[in-house]
Amino acid sequence: MYESALRILAEIDQIENTLSQGQQQPRGLLRITVPVVFGRRFVMPIVQLYLSHWPDVEVDVDFSDDYCDIIRDGFDVAIRIGGNDDSRLIRKVLAPHRYITCASPMYLQQYGTPLSLTDLAQHQLLGFRHRGSNVPWHFKTEQGKTNYAVNGRLLLNDTEAILNAAIQGQGICQLGAFLVSESIQNGQLQPLLMQNSQPEPPVCALYPTKRYLPPKVRLFLQLFDEYWQGKAVWEQNH
């Protein structure tokens, strides 16, 4: 029964692909799932461009920081920060990603600047909680990669709330460069411990394996290549 269903799906897929090859203009519904803050700030501008370029498409955007089974849930594309070990999916790298540890000049003036990881024990740390657990900070040391357990007085499960708390001088944070770069560029935050910073798994697009990529997916991903050019655009000077 299962193998028979797979054969039927493969035949439907082949028919759809054959029809799509004669239809280079994207049409129909594109369903994508994106991280909440990153999606709102950096994927939605691409979605708006996509809609302005192609009048015959509709886009359904799901915002979630939890990974889902995109095949089971019927998504065409997932934009994710990090890798993927699902052999059913194609992984396309869109841009590099890293975390930046930082604090406001106001906080550093009052409490001093940590120069090493051991100094963090003397500081107020703004922790991120996900699904009830404190998320460790990531650092590079002479011994290799290490996770630093964060047990701050203020724990939040919203990264934008952590960003705002850091800007207001309530402590040190470690957040994605996409979230803090603008605040660093305008002087609201100051990067720390950059000698211990390391590259993280990149921003990727994931989509189901197919012999032929539908135009609605191919042209959506093409916009990332055109406007990001494989770079972390959020770290470019404004």
Side-chain angles (χ1 to χ4, degrees), residues 148-198:
Y148 185 92
V150 179
N151 296 295
R153 291 179 61 205
L154 181 57
L155 302 172
L156 302 139
N157 70 345
D158 181 278
T159 53
E160 287 189 317
I162 294 174
L163 172 65
N164 291 333
I167 290 172
Q168 293 164 11
Q170 295 182 28
I172 298 173
C173 70
Q174 185 182 88
L175 294 169
F178 70 87
L179 192 55
V180 298
S181 288
E182 183 175 357
S183 298
I184 290 172
Q185 291 163 13
N186 64 26
Q188 291 179 302
L189 293 174
Q190 179 176 321
L192 306 169
L193 303 169
M194 294 306 289
Q195 72 275 13
N196 298 109
S197 179
Q198 62 180 6

Side-chain angles (χ1 to χ4, degrees), residues 6-75:
L6 287 180
R7 281 197 300 271
I8 293 171
L9 289 174
E11 289 173 2
I12 293 173
D13 188 36
Q14 185 174 5
I15 293 170
E16 288 179 344
N17 290 340
T18 301
L19 293 173
S20 295
Q21 288 177 9
Q23 173 190 305
Q24 295 305 312
Q25 299 294 319
R27 299 178 185 277
L29 177 64
L30 177 73
R31 297 193 69 229
I32 65 175
T33 177
V34 300
V36 178
V37 178
F38 184 83
R40 189 164 58 234
R41 293 191 176 200
F42 296 101
V43 179
M44 280 307 298
I46 299 293
V47 171
Q48 297 293 347
L49 285 168
Y50 180 72
L51 289 170
S52 69
H53 285 6
W54 308 110
D56 294 328
V57 293
E58 301 170 356
V59 181
D60 178 358
V61 184
D62 175 78
F63 292 89
S64 175
D65 289 329
D66 293 325
Y67 285 5
C68 67
D69 184 327
I70 71 173
I71 294 178
R72 180 197 65 200
D73 296 337
F75 289 105

Side-chain angles (χ1 to χ4, degrees), residues 101 120 125-126 135-139 146-150 172-174:
T101 308
L120 291 176
L125 308 183
L126 302 172
V135 176
W137 290 1
H138 298 182
F139 291 109
T146 186
N147 290 337
Y148 185 92
V150 179
I172 298 173
C173 70
Q174 185 182 88

Side-chain angles (χ1 to χ4, degrees), residues 192-228:
L192 306 169
L193 303 169
M194 294 306 289
Q195 72 275 13
N196 298 109
S197 179
Q198 62 180 6
E200 296 289 333
V203 179
C204 297
L206 302 170
Y207 51 92
T209 301
K210 288 188 175 182
R211 288 182 298 276
Y212 178 77
L213 197 59
K216 66 179 181 180
V217 175
R218 176 173 53 82
L219 292 170
F220 177 65
L221 297 178
Q222 185 175 307
L223 283 176
F224 287 95
D225 293 334
E226 291 177 10
Y227 286 91
W228 290 7

